[in-house]
Amino acid sequence: MTGRTSLGLLFVDLFHLPPALRGAGVGREILRQAEEEGRRRGCRAGVLYAISFQAPGGLLD
């Protein structure tokens, strides 16, 4: 995962989880830690863009 914080926002720019790690809660934990870091930096909201071809069988299905 890559991301950044700016103007009180947490941006998740790129997130990839290999198929072998999906379904075990690893992605959930990575996002939880990113949210925690965003809060530590004073962020009050987050931005995540998901495009269906980038998330097959996942978020948008």
Side-chain angles (χ1 to χ4, degrees):
M1 185 182 113
T2 62
R4 58 195 160 88
T5 57
S6 179
L7 304 171
L9 294 171
L10 166 67
F11 292 88
V12 175
D13 295 324
L14 178 66
F15 186 84
H16 173 76
L17 196 63
L21 297 177
R22 295 177 188 168
V26 175
R28 181 181 302 123
E29 178 60 18
I30 292 169
L31 288 173
R32 186 196 66 73
Q33 289 183 24
E35 289 174 345
E36 185 178 302
E37 179 64 18
R39 284 188 200 96
R40 190 184 69 73
R41 295 180 183 201
C43 296
R44 306 270 306 170
V47 179
L48 170 81
Y49 295 105
I51 299 174
S52 63
F53 77 88
Q54 292 176 320
L59 216 62
L60 300 176
D61 291 339

